[in-house]
Amino acid sequence: MKTYRFIKISNNNNPSQDFYIDITIMDSVKLRMSILKSQLKKYRESCEGLYRPAWYYIENCDYSYYELDKKDFLNYNEAREHATNLYKEQFEKMNSGKRELNNNKFIMTIE
């Protein structure tokens, strides 16, 4: 089993609705964020490889991050499922208005 860490990266201008859960097996969250920044720089220079969702926050937002959870899993797919559940829990916790689930994303409804 591997220990996975779940990092919540939030847009400080809209933290209740604009955030991402990053998954890593690294021991240091600070080091993981530093590596993400370095990878983004290399990606901008070469435009090769896959774009990582966490880069959006590093590149475009006033962001903050912290370790949300740490748990052991047999494989990445189990960790990914846990990250999805954490995302839903965080969204529900931070948004008290009415909401509906639409295509695995919560949509706020305003009356």
Side-chain angles (χ1 to χ4, degrees):
M1 288 185 109
K2 291 182 181 177
T3 301
Y4 289 85
R5 285 176 168 69
F6 301 86
I7 306 166
K8 182 176 180 182
I9 307 169
S10 302
N11 176 352
N12 290 336
N13 295 319
N14 188 11
S16 65
Q17 295 182 359
D18 191 8
F19 61 91
Y20 176 73
I21 309 289
D22 188 61
I23 305 169
T24 186
I25 58 172
M26 297 181 75
D27 288 334
S28 170
V29 171
K30 204 171 187 181
L31 182 58
R32 171 64 177 164
M33 292 303 294
S34 180
I35 287 171
L36 283 170
K37 290 176 191 176
S38 177
Q39 288 174 337
L40 174 59
K41 183 179 177 184
K42 288 179 184 176
Y43 178 81
R44 279 194 215 134
E45 292 170 357
S46 67
C47 292
E48 292 179 9
L50 297 175
Y51 185 84
R52 298 179 185 276
W55 292 346
Y56 165 80
Y57 297 92
I58 295 168
E59 193 170 35
N60 299 310
C61 301
D62 172 23
Y63 71 96
S64 57
Y65 64 91
Y66 65 94
E67 185 176 320
L68 180 61
D69 197 10
K70 178 173 82 169
K71 201 168 182 181
D72 293 334
F73 291 100
L74 291 173
N75 57 49
Y76 179 80
N77 289 334
E78 289 179 1
R80 185 74 211 140
E81 185 176 323
H82 182 66
T84 301
N85 291 336
L86 285 173
Y87 184 91
K88 289 177 184 177
E89 289 170 11
Q90 288 294 302
F91 191 90
E92 288 176 5
K93 178 180 172 182
M94 298 184 74
N95 295 282
S96 60
K98 289 187 176 182
R99 55 199 166 273
E100 55 190 64
L101 187 61
N102 183 2
N103 199 19
N104 289 334
K105 293 188 177 184
F106 283 103
I107 308 297
M108 298 299 294
T109 55
I110 300 170
E111 296 178 356

